[in-house]
Structures are given as structure tokens and as C-alpha cells.
Amino acid sequence: MTYEHLDADLVNELLGDGRASLRSLAETLDVSVTTVSNHLSDLEDEGVIEGYTPQVDYDALGYDVTAIMQLKAEGSALPEITQTLKDHRQMISVYEVTGDYDVIAIGKFKDTDDMNDEIKSLITDPDIKQSNTSIVLNIVSENEQFELETA
């Protein structure tokens, strides 16, 4: 194997099995264990690979409600609002966006009462000018990653 696409191939293999051993990666990619180890270290140092975490099925843990919140923020308060949302344990994604709203946040909740309580506590901030919350009816695709192109 040439090393031309080794980093992308390594990332793609880890997307399939984040717990793969260096030895199995080396065998699959037809390179030495040392080569895999060195490239993996480089990818980690460069921030391409930020960690190895499990994919959690929140529904299986009782977090049956997914809510998408759209918020309009007072201009200078945007960093504080996004940090508050980021620090909230049930918010799984927080985005600053263009368009009608400034922030989109996605949260997981045990039930609608839990969601209602949490959202009310979050949106009572006087720097939030407007909010809109949608409840997800059906998760079609979530937390998907895509393989990198190698050609």
C-alpha cells in the first residue's frame, strides 16, 4: 500500500471500529504497526482525531424526547448564551447560525415535563429575545459520520 491516502484510510477504519487495535489496523491497511501508530499520533496531535467515544443510544437510556431550540440573542450576549447551552449536560449540540435565529441547540430529555422545565430555565435569560422549540417526532439519522475520500 502507498502512504498517499493512509491517513484517510486510517480514519475510515476507525469510523468502522473505534476500538480496533493497532495490529488489526496495520493488517487491514497493509502497513506496519509502527506506521499506524505514528500516523495515528500525528492525527491526534493535529486535532483530526479528538477522542474515542462510544455512540450512546439515548432512547435506550430513557431520554425519549429530542428538542431543537432556535434562539434570537441580544448581540453582545451571544457568547454567554452559547456557553450556557454548551455547559448544560443535556444539550448535545449547540450551533451559532445565520438566518432568522442566532443559535440552534439540540437537547435530549427524559420526557416532555423534563424538557419543559429545562427549556424554561434556559430561556428566562433576558438576553434571549425570542425562542422557538420543536420536538423531534422521528429520528431518521443522527450522529452519523462519513468516510473520507481517498481518491
Side-chain angles (χ1 to χ4, degrees), residues 67-69 71 88 91 109 112-125 128 131 133-135:
I68 301 170
M69 292 176 283
L71 307 171
H88 192 281
M91 291 299 139
F109 305 94
T112 53
D113 289 337
D114 179 34
M115 177 199 68
N116 195 31
D117 292 343
E118 296 297 330
I119 290 174
K120 281 182 181 176
S121 73
L122 290 169
I123 63 172
T124 56
D125 185 325
I128 296 176
S131 69
T133 301
S134 299
I135 297 174

PDB file of all heavy atoms in Angstrom, residues 67-69 71 88 91 109 112-125 128 131 133-135:
ATOM      1  N   ALA A  67     -35.356  17.754  21.551  1.00  0.00           N
ATOM      2  CA  ALA A  67     -35.896  19.083  21.256  1.00  0.00           C
ATOM      3  C   ALA A  67     -34.853  19.904  20.510  1.00  0.00           C
ATOM      4  O   ALA A  67     -33.657  19.834  20.810  1.00  0.00           O
ATOM      5  CB  ALA A  67     -36.288  19.792  22.546  1.00  0.00           C
ATOM      6  N   ILE A  68     -35.323  20.662  19.554  1.00  0.00           N
ATOM      7  CA  ILE A  68     -34.468  21.576  18.791  1.00  0.00           C
ATOM      8  C   ILE A  68     -34.933  22.980  19.129  1.00  0.00           C
ATOM      9  O   ILE A  68     -36.096  23.336  18.885  1.00  0.00           O
ATOM     10  CB  ILE A  68     -34.570  21.311  17.282  1.00  0.00           C
ATOM     11  CG1 ILE A  68     -34.145  19.864  16.990  1.00  0.00           C
ATOM     12  CG2 ILE A  68     -33.717  22.319  16.502  1.00  0.00           C
ATOM     13  CD1 ILE A  68     -34.413  19.408  15.586  1.00  0.00           C
ATOM     14  N   MET A  69     -34.022  23.751  19.722  1.00  0.00           N
ATOM     15  CA  MET A  69     -34.345  25.115  20.126  1.00  0.00           C
ATOM     16  C   MET A  69     -33.659  26.105  19.197  1.00  0.00           C
ATOM     17  O   MET A  69     -32.468  25.970  18.913  1.00  0.00           O
ATOM     18  CB  MET A  69     -33.887  25.355  21.559  1.00  0.00           C
ATOM     19  CG  MET A  69     -34.678  24.571  22.562  1.00  0.00           C
ATOM     20  SD  MET A  69     -34.054  24.788  24.221  1.00  0.00           S
ATOM     21  CE  MET A  69     -32.646  23.729  24.130  1.00  0.00           C
ATOM     22  N   LEU A  71     -32.927  30.169  18.961  1.00  0.00           N
ATOM     23  CA  LEU A  71     -32.911  31.339  19.845  1.00  0.00           C
ATOM     24  C   LEU A  71     -32.389  32.570  19.121  1.00  0.00           C
ATOM     25  O   LEU A  71     -31.415  32.498  18.372  1.00  0.00           O
ATOM     26  CB  LEU A  71     -32.013  31.068  21.057  1.00  0.00           C
ATOM     27  CG  LEU A  71     -32.297  29.804  21.867  1.00  0.00           C
ATOM     28  CD1 LEU A  71     -31.202  29.576  22.891  1.00  0.00           C
ATOM     29  CD2 LEU A  71     -33.649  29.906  22.546  1.00  0.00           C
ATOM     30  N   HIS A  88     -24.654  22.985  29.563  1.00  0.00           N
ATOM     31  CA  HIS A  88     -25.827  22.250  30.038  1.00  0.00           C
ATOM     32  C   HIS A  88     -25.682  20.785  29.634  1.00  0.00           C
ATOM     33  O   HIS A  88     -25.506  20.472  28.463  1.00  0.00           O
ATOM     34  CB  HIS A  88     -27.099  22.855  29.437  1.00  0.00           C
ATOM     35  CG  HIS A  88     -28.333  22.360  30.077  1.00  0.00           C
ATOM     36  ND1 HIS A  88     -28.878  21.136  29.770  1.00  0.00           N
ATOM     37  CD2 HIS A  88     -29.133  22.909  31.020  1.00  0.00           C
ATOM     38  CE1 HIS A  88     -29.963  20.957  30.496  1.00  0.00           C
ATOM     39  NE2 HIS A  88     -30.139  22.023  31.263  1.00  0.00           N
ATOM     40  N   MET A  91     -27.696  19.232  26.604  1.00  0.00           N
ATOM     41  CA  MET A  91     -27.564  19.792  25.255  1.00  0.00           C
ATOM     42  C   MET A  91     -26.461  19.010  24.530  1.00  0.00           C
ATOM     43  O   MET A  91     -25.319  18.994  24.974  1.00  0.00           O
ATOM     44  CB  MET A  91     -27.187  21.271  25.305  1.00  0.00           C
ATOM     45  CG  MET A  91     -28.266  22.176  25.818  1.00  0.00           C
ATOM     46  SD  MET A  91     -29.730  22.102  24.776  1.00  0.00           S
ATOM     47  CE  MET A  91     -30.980  22.096  26.026  1.00  0.00           C
ATOM     48  N   PHE A 109     -34.061  14.764  26.429  1.00  0.00           N
ATOM     49  CA  PHE A 109     -34.790  14.857  27.688  1.00  0.00           C
ATOM     50  C   PHE A 109     -35.540  13.555  27.961  1.00  0.00           C
ATOM     51  O   PHE A 109     -35.902  12.840  27.035  1.00  0.00           O
ATOM     52  CB  PHE A 109     -35.765  16.034  27.642  1.00  0.00           C
ATOM     53  CG  PHE A 109     -35.083  17.329  27.306  1.00  0.00           C
ATOM     54  CD1 PHE A 109     -35.027  17.772  25.997  1.00  0.00           C
ATOM     55  CD2 PHE A 109     -34.468  18.077  28.293  1.00  0.00           C
ATOM     56  CE1 PHE A 109     -34.375  18.960  25.679  1.00  0.00           C
ATOM     57  CE2 PHE A 109     -33.824  19.262  27.983  1.00  0.00           C
ATOM     58  CZ  PHE A 109     -33.761  19.709  26.673  1.00  0.00           C
ATOM     59  N   THR A 112     -41.519  15.090  28.307  1.00  0.00           N
ATOM     60  CA  THR A 112     -41.855  16.478  27.979  1.00  0.00           C
ATOM     61  C   THR A 112     -41.823  17.372  29.210  1.00  0.00           C
ATOM     62  O   THR A 112     -41.504  18.558  29.098  1.00  0.00           O
ATOM     63  CB  THR A 112     -43.223  16.581  27.279  1.00  0.00           C
ATOM     64  OG1 THR A 112     -44.211  15.922  28.069  1.00  0.00           O
ATOM     65  CG2 THR A 112     -43.177  15.971  25.894  1.00  0.00           C
ATOM     66  N   ASP A 113     -42.148  16.836  30.390  1.00  0.00           N
ATOM     67  CA  ASP A 113     -42.055  17.647  31.613  1.00  0.00           C
ATOM     68  C   ASP A 113     -40.603  18.040  31.878  1.00  0.00           C
ATOM     69  O   ASP A 113     -40.323  19.200  32.219  1.00  0.00           O
ATOM     70  CB  ASP A 113     -42.615  16.896  32.824  1.00  0.00           C
ATOM     71  CG  ASP A 113     -44.125  16.758  32.780  1.00  0.00           C
ATOM     72  OD1 ASP A 113     -44.773  17.580  32.097  1.00  0.00           O
ATOM     73  OD2 ASP A 113     -44.648  15.833  33.429  1.00  0.00           O
ATOM     74  N   ASP A 114     -39.684  17.098  31.731  1.00  0.00           N
ATOM     75  CA  ASP A 114     -38.254  17.366  31.901  1.00  0.00           C
ATOM     76  C   ASP A 114     -37.801  18.419  30.894  1.00  0.00           C
ATOM     77  O   ASP A 114     -37.125  19.391  31.234  1.00  0.00           O
ATOM     78  CB  ASP A 114     -37.462  16.068  31.725  1.00  0.00           C
ATOM     79  CG  ASP A 114     -35.958  16.232  31.854  1.00  0.00           C
ATOM     80  OD1 ASP A 114     -35.508  17.074  32.660  1.00  0.00           O
ATOM     81  OD2 ASP A 114     -35.221  15.499  31.165  1.00  0.00           O
ATOM     82  N   MET A 115     -38.223  18.251  29.646  1.00  0.00           N
ATOM     83  CA  MET A 115     -37.872  19.207  28.597  1.00  0.00           C
ATOM     84  C   MET A 115     -38.421  20.591  28.931  1.00  0.00           C
ATOM     85  O   MET A 115     -37.705  21.591  28.847  1.00  0.00           O
ATOM     86  CB  MET A 115     -38.423  18.752  27.252  1.00  0.00           C
ATOM     87  CG  MET A 115     -38.164  19.735  26.117  1.00  0.00           C
ATOM     88  SD  MET A 115     -39.234  19.483  24.695  1.00  0.00           S
ATOM     89  CE  MET A 115     -40.816  19.955  25.349  1.00  0.00           C
ATOM     90  N   ASN A 116     -39.678  20.645  29.315  1.00  0.00           N
ATOM     91  CA  ASN A 116     -40.330  21.912  29.623  1.00  0.00           C
ATOM     92  C   ASN A 116     -39.593  22.641  30.748  1.00  0.00           C
ATOM     93  O   ASN A 116     -39.323  23.841  30.655  1.00  0.00           O
ATOM     94  CB  ASN A 116     -41.795  21.663  29.990  1.00  0.00           C
ATOM     95  CG  ASN A 116     -42.611  22.921  29.980  1.00  0.00           C
ATOM     96  OD1 ASN A 116     -42.349  23.845  29.220  1.00  0.00           O
ATOM     97  ND2 ASN A 116     -43.612  22.965  30.838  1.00  0.00           N
ATOM     98  N   ASP A 117     -39.270  21.923  31.818  1.00  0.00           N
ATOM     99  CA  ASP A 117     -38.562  22.533  32.950  1.00  0.00           C
ATOM    100  C   ASP A 117     -37.199  23.078  32.521  1.00  0.00           C
ATOM    101  O   ASP A 117     -36.815  24.197  32.870  1.00  0.00           O
ATOM    102  CB  ASP A 117     -38.366  21.517  34.082  1.00  0.00           C
ATOM    103  CG  ASP A 117     -39.673  21.121  34.746  1.00  0.00           C
ATOM    104  OD1 ASP A 117     -40.680  21.835  34.565  1.00  0.00           O
ATOM    105  OD2 ASP A 117     -39.677  20.074  35.437  1.00  0.00           O
ATOM    106  N   GLU A 118     -36.462  22.273  31.772  1.00  0.00           N
ATOM    107  CA  GLU A 118     -35.114  22.685  31.349  1.00  0.00           C
ATOM    108  C   GLU A 118     -35.167  23.864  30.387  1.00  0.00           C
ATOM    109  O   GLU A 118     -34.396  24.816  30.510  1.00  0.00           O
ATOM    110  CB  GLU A 118     -34.373  21.506  30.707  1.00  0.00           C
ATOM    111  CG  GLU A 118     -34.093  20.352  31.643  1.00  0.00           C
ATOM    112  CD  GLU A 118     -33.173  20.727  32.791  1.00  0.00           C
ATOM    113  OE1 GLU A 118     -32.319  21.619  32.635  1.00  0.00           O
ATOM    114  OE2 GLU A 118     -33.314  20.119  33.868  1.00  0.00           O
ATOM    115  N   ILE A 119     -36.065  23.819  29.440  1.00  0.00           N
ATOM    116  CA  ILE A 119     -36.158  24.903  28.460  1.00  0.00           C
ATOM    117  C   ILE A 119     -36.596  26.199  29.129  1.00  0.00           C
ATOM    118  O   ILE A 119     -36.043  27.264  28.854  1.00  0.00           O
ATOM    119  CB  ILE A 119     -37.097  24.517  27.295  1.00  0.00           C
ATOM    120  CG1 ILE A 119     -36.410  23.438  26.454  1.00  0.00           C
ATOM    121  CG2 ILE A 119     -37.432  25.727  26.444  1.00  0.00           C
ATOM    122  CD1 ILE A 119     -37.267  22.868  25.358  1.00  0.00           C
ATOM    123  N   LYS A 120     -37.548  26.112  30.043  1.00  0.00           N
ATOM    124  CA  LYS A 120     -37.976  27.324  30.759  1.00  0.00           C
ATOM    125  C   LYS A 120     -36.817  27.937  31.535  1.00  0.00           C
ATOM    126  O   LYS A 120     -36.661  29.154  31.565  1.00  0.00           O
ATOM    127  CB  LYS A 120     -39.140  27.010  31.696  1.00  0.00           C
ATOM    128  CG  LYS A 120     -40.457  26.904  30.985  1.00  0.00           C
ATOM    129  CD  LYS A 120     -41.582  26.630  31.950  1.00  0.00           C
ATOM    130  CE  LYS A 120     -42.903  26.512  31.224  1.00  0.00           C
ATOM    131  NZ  LYS A 120     -43.998  26.160  32.134  1.00  0.00           N
ATOM    132  N   SER A 121     -36.007  27.098  32.155  1.00  0.00           N
ATOM    133  CA  SER A 121     -34.876  27.642  32.911  1.00  0.00           C
ATOM    134  C   SER A 121     -33.830  28.263  31.982  1.00  0.00           C
ATOM    135  O   SER A 121     -33.174  29.230  32.344  1.00  0.00           O
ATOM    136  CB  SER A 121     -34.232  26.566  33.791  1.00  0.00           C
ATOM    137  OG  SER A 121     -33.502  25.645  33.021  1.00  0.00           O
ATOM    138  N   LEU A 122     -33.706  27.727  30.784  1.00  0.00           N
ATOM    139  CA  LEU A 122     -32.722  28.261  29.848  1.00  0.00           C
ATOM    140  C   LEU A 122     -33.186  29.546  29.175  1.00  0.00           C
ATOM    141  O   LEU A 122     -32.398  30.462  28.958  1.00  0.00           O
ATOM    142  CB  LEU A 122     -32.390  27.212  28.775  1.00  0.00           C
ATOM    143  CG  LEU A 122     -31.604  26.000  29.238  1.00  0.00           C
ATOM    144  CD1 LEU A 122     -31.588  24.930  28.152  1.00  0.00           C
ATOM    145  CD2 LEU A 122     -30.180  26.393  29.606  1.00  0.00           C
ATOM    146  N   ILE A 123     -34.456  29.631  28.839  1.00  0.00           N
ATOM    147  CA  ILE A 123     -34.914  30.783  28.047  1.00  0.00           C
ATOM    148  C   ILE A 123     -35.432  31.941  28.882  1.00  0.00           C
ATOM    149  O   ILE A 123     -35.921  32.923  28.332  1.00  0.00           O
ATOM    150  CB  ILE A 123     -35.956  30.371  26.984  1.00  0.00           C
ATOM    151  CG1 ILE A 123     -37.215  29.822  27.617  1.00  0.00           C
ATOM    152  CG2 ILE A 123     -35.369  29.388  25.998  1.00  0.00           C
ATOM    153  CD1 ILE A 123     -38.339  29.579  26.631  1.00  0.00           C
ATOM    154  N   THR A 124     -35.327  31.858  30.187  1.00  0.00           N
ATOM    155  CA  THR A 124     -35.702  33.008  31.020  1.00  0.00           C
ATOM    156  C   THR A 124     -34.609  34.068  31.017  1.00  0.00           C
ATOM    157  O   THR A 124     -34.801  35.149  31.569  1.00  0.00           O
ATOM    158  CB  THR A 124     -35.998  32.568  32.466  1.00  0.00           C
ATOM    159  OG1 THR A 124     -34.860  31.876  32.980  1.00  0.00           O
ATOM    160  CG2 THR A 124     -37.233  31.694  32.532  1.00  0.00           C
ATOM    161  N   ASP A 125     -33.501  33.777  30.381  1.00  0.00           N
ATOM    162  CA  ASP A 125     -32.409  34.741  30.265  1.00  0.00           C
ATOM    163  C   ASP A 125     -32.924  35.975  29.513  1.00  0.00           C
ATOM    164  O   ASP A 125     -33.440  35.854  28.398  1.00  0.00           O
ATOM    165  CB  ASP A 125     -31.251  34.085  29.498  1.00  0.00           C
ATOM    166  CG  ASP A 125     -30.020  34.958  29.422  1.00  0.00           C
ATOM    167  OD1 ASP A 125     -30.151  36.194  29.322  1.00  0.00           O
ATOM    168  OD2 ASP A 125     -28.917  34.395  29.450  1.00  0.00           O
ATOM    169  N   ILE A 128     -32.126  36.591  25.786  1.00  0.00           N
ATOM    170  CA  ILE A 128     -32.760  35.812  24.717  1.00  0.00           C
ATOM    171  C   ILE A 128     -34.028  36.547  24.315  1.00  0.00           C
ATOM    172  O   ILE A 128     -34.972  36.664  25.088  1.00  0.00           O
ATOM    173  CB  ILE A 128     -33.053  34.366  25.163  1.00  0.00           C
ATOM    174  CG1 ILE A 128     -31.738  33.643  25.457  1.00  0.00           C
ATOM    175  CG2 ILE A 128     -33.862  33.634  24.090  1.00  0.00           C
ATOM    176  CD1 ILE A 128     -31.896  32.241  25.988  1.00  0.00           C
ATOM    177  N   SER A 131     -37.567  32.743  21.173  1.00  0.00           N
ATOM    178  CA  SER A 131     -37.211  31.324  21.075  1.00  0.00           C
ATOM    179  C   SER A 131     -38.304  30.559  20.355  1.00  0.00           C
ATOM    180  O   SER A 131     -39.468  30.968  20.327  1.00  0.00           O
ATOM    181  CB  SER A 131     -36.978  30.727  22.461  1.00  0.00           C
ATOM    182  OG  SER A 131     -38.188  30.646  23.167  1.00  0.00           O
ATOM    183  N   THR A 133     -39.152  26.280  19.872  1.00  0.00           N
ATOM    184  CA  THR A 133     -38.733  24.917  20.170  1.00  0.00           C
ATOM    185  C   THR A 133     -39.566  23.940  19.368  1.00  0.00           C
ATOM    186  O   THR A 133     -40.798  24.051  19.321  1.00  0.00           O
ATOM    187  CB  THR A 133     -38.891  24.611  21.679  1.00  0.00           C
ATOM    188  OG1 THR A 133     -38.107  25.544  22.419  1.00  0.00           O
ATOM    189  CG2 THR A 133     -38.431  23.201  21.992  1.00  0.00           C
ATOM    190  N   SER A 134     -38.880  22.997  18.750  1.00  0.00           N
ATOM    191  CA  SER A 134     -39.543  21.920  18.020  1.00  0.00           C
ATOM    192  C   SER A 134     -39.183  20.603  18.684  1.00  0.00           C
ATOM    193  O   SER A 134     -38.042  20.397  19.109  1.00  0.00           O
ATOM    194  CB  SER A 134     -39.076  21.883  16.560  1.00  0.00           C
ATOM    195  OG  SER A 134     -39.394  23.077  15.895  1.00  0.00           O
ATOM    196  N   ILE A 135     -40.150  19.715  18.756  1.00  0.00           N
ATOM    197  CA  ILE A 135     -39.907  18.380  19.289  1.00  0.00           C
ATOM    198  C   ILE A 135     -39.774  17.426  18.111  1.00  0.00           C
ATOM    199  O   ILE A 135     -40.603  17.429  17.194  1.00  0.00           O
ATOM    200  CB  ILE A 135     -41.056  17.934  20.217  1.00  0.00           C
ATOM    201  CG1 ILE A 135     -41.132  18.862  21.428  1.00  0.00           C
ATOM    202  CG2 ILE A 135     -40.852  16.484  20.664  1.00  0.00           C
ATOM    203  CD1 ILE A 135     -42.299  18.606  22.332  1.00  0.00           C
TER     204      ILE A 135
END
